[in-house]
Amino acid sequence: GAGVSQSPSNKVTEKGKDVELRCDPISGHTALYWYRQSLGQGLEFLIYFQGNSAPDKSGLPSDRFSAERTGGSVSTLTIQRTQQEDSAVYLCASSPTGGGGANEQYFGPGTRLTVT
Amino acid sequence: GNSVTQMEGPVTLSEEAFLTINCTYTATGYPSLFWYVQYPGEGLQLLLKATKADDKGSNKGFEATYRKETTSFHLEKGSVQVSDSAVYFCALSSSAGGTSYGKLTFGQGTILTVHP
């Protein structure tokens, strides 16, 4: 079956511009996570959705970052006024049930964001 | 808070050598522990997991045992192959409940290169 998909796969943007990153989770998965993978910081959690609500936004690095999820499916991560330190690979993952600790998370291929 | 520490890499081995990648963790409660692998050009995928003390996770010849007394989850393989070349991430998921349930905390990753 279809896995987690993300778009675009690569995004180059100028400093100060806004970007939107999209994640399509596996159908029926209620939990959705965003992570960021960068050279300096490794893999960091950004935000967790259960259905359409985001009970854990603790990893968002600043108020320039926001995310939403609609219809319990697609999620969009928006970065406003991008900075060079936002350059990273943004990963989305989904999990079949309510974020249970032992449940496997299925990762998408990521969006590589480069801010020039 | 939760944290995961992996042995520093990169690790370079000859085919059929024995592999150990050390992983230790700090967490409240009783976390679930995971090893994820990222093959070149591919997304993160689950390699194995263990959900309680003394559990042994295994897959593709890899294994790791959840050691609560030493807070460790070392990855081992008796005979590595060239196809095992990848980046390996140790991770934990908190079992403390609440809004962080299921969020993964990752180690910094270990690059493994296996030569013929």
Side-chain angles (χ1 to χ4, degrees):
Chain A
V4 177
S5 61
Q6 293 185 246
S7 61
S9 55
N10 280 284
K11 176 72 176 178
V12 180
T13 190
E14 292 180 353
K15 178 181 173 181
K17 301 286 189 183
D18 297 353
V19 295
E20 285 189 352
L21 312 179
R22 177 187 169 106
C23 171
D24 280 273
I26 293 172
S27 177
H29 282 194
T30 60
L32 186 146
Y33 306 80
W34 283 97
Y35 296 89
R36 179 169 71 172
Q37 186 174 21
S38 58
L39 279 178
Q41 301 297 323
L43 266 161
E44 307 170 276
F45 165 81
L46 297 178
I47 187 170
Y48 157 57
F49 286 92
Q50 179 55 40
N52 290 337
S53 64
D56 190 350
K57 305 178 183 179
S58 62
L60 294 178
S62 76
D63 59 8
R64 296 186 294 105
F65 287 72
S66 63
E68 64 176 13
R69 189 179 184 193
T70 55
S73 180
V74 171
S75 176
T76 302
L77 177 69
T78 301
I79 309 173
Q80 296 180 308
R81 306 181 302 282
T82 52
Q83 302 295 313
Q84 289 185 331
E85 61 262 28
D86 300 334
S87 296
V89 177
Y90 289 81
L91 296 172
C92 176
S94 69
S95 185
T97 62
N103 289 334
E104 177 177 358
Q105 293 182 24
Y106 296 81
F107 282 81
T111 294
R112 181 176 296 278
L113 175 66
T114 304
V115 182
T116 61
Chain B
N2 297 336
S3 67
V4 176
T5 302
Q6 286 181 237
M7 66 182 287
E8 292 187 13
V11 175
T12 303
L13 295 173
S14 298
E15 206 164 27
E16 299 184 3
F18 184 84
L19 169 71
T20 300
I21 301 177
N22 289 338
C23 171
T24 57
Y25 68 90
T26 302
T28 54
Y30 300 93
S32 295
L33 301 174
F34 305 83
W35 278 99
Y36 277 82
V37 59
Q38 190 172 33
Y39 296 104
E42 299 185 17
L44 272 173
Q45 55 187 274
L46 180 67
L47 180 60
L48 52 84
K49 70 178 183 183
T51 59
K52 61 183 188 295
D54 300 326
D55 265 3
K56 177 183 286 187
S58 61
N59 186 25
K60 299 182 180 181
F62 291 89
E63 59 182 34
T65 302
Y66 189 142
R67 300 289 189 199
K68 188 165 176 61
E69 63 276 13
T70 54
T71 61
S72 65
F73 192 55
H74 304 322
L75 182 68
E76 297 182 336
K77 186 174 186 181
S79 177
V80 293
Q81 305 300 310
V82 172
S83 57
D84 295 325
S85 297
V87 184
Y88 292 81
F89 293 91
C90 185
L92 69 82
S93 176
S94 173
S95 65
T99 58
S100 300
Y101 202 43
K103 173 178 84 175
L104 289 170
T105 299
F106 287 91
Q108 64 267 44
T110 301
I111 300 172
L112 170 66
T113 303
V114 181
H115 292 299

